[in-house]
């Protein structure tokens, strides 16, 4: 007798480069394979394809990064064919242009349609709300924070019965201070020329204006003492913003107190260099994964008081929050944290990690997402 194939999920996104959406895609593919499901991912490809396939998932290359109506229509036909050939029961869309193709393919094939709403998505031009609305059309719409769930209800009128709130997660085995060998930290300290005795303030984020690197630079100019700020992240081609940052650092006489150190491959070790980790975004983060990564590493965190970090940083318990864009408030908060006795900072870090383990791990996110798939008949 022919065997019934195991259930299958197809995730769609523009490409498999670096980023939170891409990492989440691999994490769910991994969970599907380990649960005995078949995992498919369709994208235009990228450096994470090999890692995806090593997990046991199958990648299908399609030009899903296109936003042209003709391209979206053609991708819909290709996805429809793939769904029918492979007996795929669920299409899970993670980005808007591919979501339109997936939505059309689901309607044609009868497959279920699920979305993850990863951001607030701007509406600066006519028709943008309609374009964005595809992310609210899933039979189940996964919101990555309560902030995003509220946004869905307010912006799209999404029925709360279709929304499932599943916060992003951190790999607590990777982001675990007990598992980071001292030589990993020492290598980074040497590479970045970080003196042992100086307090370190770290902002881990790609270099872009809204992530608030400029706010931290201004805060460092107001902060007495010899604390060293490390801006950890890739410019991703934003040479103009980098030049602007360097110019402001020089103008404020901060060349020895603020450093742009570029991308860090070993973020767990990098975070252990920090006495304080800063999240300074001036726009609301849908979630803010770097915050929980720092908390998992038992670091003291100061975050902008808006968006997702309001749900992961409990004021005075697992970290502190400051008004976004307020350099003076940020400087004051950094100064107060650095002035705390080491034992108090360690206690804060321990509470922060406990909070992450209780509610914001990759394993919890994976289990909750598979539970959503199982809801669908």
């Amino acid at each position: 007798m022919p065997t019934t194939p195991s259930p299958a999920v197809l995730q769609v996104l523009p490409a498999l480069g670096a980023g939170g959406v891409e990492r989440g895609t691999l994490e769910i593919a991994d969970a599907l394979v380990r649960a005995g499901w078949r995992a498919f991912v369709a994208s235009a490809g990228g450096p994470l394809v090999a890692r995806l396939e090593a997990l046991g998932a199958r990648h299908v290359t399609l030009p899903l990064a296109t936003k042209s109506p003709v391209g979206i229509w053609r991708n819909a036909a290709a996805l429809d064919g793939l769904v029918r050939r492979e007996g795929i029961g669920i299409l899970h869309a993670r980005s808007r242009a591919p979501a339109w193709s997936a939505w059309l393919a689901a309607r044609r094939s009868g497959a279920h349609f699920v979305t993850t709403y990863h951001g607030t998505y701007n509406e600066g031009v006519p028709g943008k709300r309609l374009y964005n609305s595809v992310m609210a059309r899933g039979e189940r719409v996964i919101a990555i924070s309560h902030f995003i769930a509220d946004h869905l209800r307010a912006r799209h009128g999404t029925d709360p019965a279709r929304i499932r709130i599943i916060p992003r997660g951190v790999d607590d085995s990777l982001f675990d201070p007990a598992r980071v060998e001292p030589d990993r930290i020492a290598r980074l300290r040497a590479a970045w020329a970080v003196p042992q005795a100086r307090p370190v303030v770290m902002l881990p984020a790609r270099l872009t204006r809204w992530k608030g690197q400029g706010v931290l630079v201004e805060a460092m100019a107001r902060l007495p003492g010899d604390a060293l700020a490390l801006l950890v992240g890739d410019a991703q081609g934003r040479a103009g913003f980098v030049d602007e940052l360097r110019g402001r650092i020089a103008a404020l006489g901060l060349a020895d107190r603020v450093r742009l150190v570029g991308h860090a491959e070993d973020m767990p070790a990098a975070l252990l260099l920090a006495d304080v980790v800063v999240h300074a975004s001036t726009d609301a983060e849908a979630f803010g994964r770097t915050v929980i990564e720092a908390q998992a590493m038992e670091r003291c965190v100061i975050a902008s008081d808006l968006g997702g970090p309001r749900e992961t940083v409990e004021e005075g318990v697992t970290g502190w929050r400051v008004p976004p864009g307020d350099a003076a408030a940020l400087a004051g908060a950094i100064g107060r944290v650095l002035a705390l006795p080491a034992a108090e900072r360690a206690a804060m870090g321990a509470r922060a990690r406990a909070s992450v383990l209780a509610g914001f791990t990759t394993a919890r996110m994976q289990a909750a997402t598979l539970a959503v798939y199982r809801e669908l008949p």
Side-chain angles (χ1 to χ4, degrees):
M1 284 181 64
T3 59
T4 303
S6 54
V9 175
L10 169 61
Q11 298 181 83
V12 298
L13 69 165
L16 278 175
V21 174
E22 293 82 356
R23 278 186 291 165
T25 299
L26 265 65
E27 288 162 353
I28 295 307
D30 180 39
L32 285 166
V33 171
R34 288 189 286 105
W37 293 43
R38 290 177 295 141
F40 294 80
V41 173
S43 83
L48 292 182
V49 169
R51 282 179 54 187
L52 172 76
E53 293 181 335
L55 296 172
R58 178 178 161 192
H59 182 264
V60 178
T61 303
L62 290 172
L64 285 162
T66 182
K67 296 180 180 179
S68 80
V70 171
I72 287 171
W73 194 260
R74 287 174 176 165
N75 284 331
L79 292 174
D80 179 29
L82 177 62
V83 166
R84 294 176 189 275
R85 286 193 306 274
E86 299 292 344
I88 292 168
I90 298 172
L91 281 155
H92 183 168
R94 293 179 169 277
S95 185
R96 289 164 292 175
W100 281 107
S101 297
W103 178 72
L104 289 167
R107 288 169 65 89
R108 294 173 186 176
S109 65
H112 294 291
F113 181 58
V114 173
T115 59
T116 296
Y117 208 100
H118 283 283
T120 52
Y121 309 125
N122 69 69
E123 295 184 352
V125 296
K128 200 64 177 290
R129 181 171 296 192
L130 174 62
Y131 177 65
N132 296 343
S133 72
V134 69
M135 300 307 295
R137 297 187 184 205
E139 294 171 62
R140 297 292 183 273
V141 182
I142 296 172
I144 66 172
S145 61
H146 289 274
F147 166 67
I148 289 296
D150 291 344
H151 176 83
L152 275 162
R153 290 188 288 266
R155 185 68 55 85
H156 301 290
T158 308
D159 182 352
R162 289 192 290 117
I163 298 173
R164 299 293 180 270
I165 300 170
I166 304 179
R168 300 300 82 191
V170 63
D171 183 342
D172 57 298
S173 63
L174 178 64
F175 286 87
D176 180 353
R179 298 192 184 197
V180 178
E181 300 84 355
D183 64 310
R184 289 165 55 187
I185 305 168
R187 282 196 295 270
L188 280 174
R189 187 179 292 279
W192 294 344
V194 179
Q196 191 80 37
R198 290 183 71 177
V200 174
V201 180
M202 183 177 292
L203 196 165
R206 66 184 182 275
L207 298 180
T208 187
R209 193 177 308 280
W210 74 272
K211 287 290 187 179
Q213 287 89 359
V215 180
L216 179 56
V217 169
E218 299 294 333
M220 291 300 294
R222 293 167 165 80
L223 187 68
D226 65 343
L228 173 63
L230 301 179
L231 307 183
V232 182
D234 195 333
Q236 298 179 335
R238 300 181 186 89
F241 179 60
V242 172
D243 290 343
E244 180 184 319
L245 273 178
R246 292 191 189 281
R248 189 60 179 156
I249 290 166
L252 292 171
L254 296 173
D256 187 49
R257 297 193 58 208
V258 180
R259 295 182 192 160
L260 282 67
V261 298
H263 175 70
E265 285 292 337
D266 190 351
M267 277 308 301
L271 289 165
L272 285 182
L273 277 177
D275 296 282
V276 181
V277 176
V278 170
H279 164 280
S281 295
T282 55
D283 294 349
E285 296 265 12
F287 181 75
R289 197 193 294 241
T290 59
V291 171
I292 60 170
E293 289 175 347
Q295 290 177 315
M297 295 305 294
E298 299 185 350
R299 300 300 87 186
C300 289
V301 173
I302 299 170
S304 290
D305 190 16
L306 78 174
R310 286 180 170 173
E311 300 167 36
T312 57
V313 179
E314 185 178 355
E315 177 66 28
V317 178
T318 63
W320 297 268
R321 301 196 303 267
V322 295
D326 189 332
L330 179 57
I334 293 170
R336 288 191 295 275
V337 175
L338 291 179
L340 289 174
E344 288 189 31
R345 293 210 303 269
M348 173 67 76
R351 291 194 297 271
R353 179 169 173 81
S355 174
V356 169
L357 295 180
F360 303 106
T361 64
T362 298
R364 290 178 66 92
M365 184 270 289
Q366 290 170 319
T369 304
L370 265 61
V372 170
Y373 295 156
R374 293 187 178 104
E375 289 180 20
L376 302 170

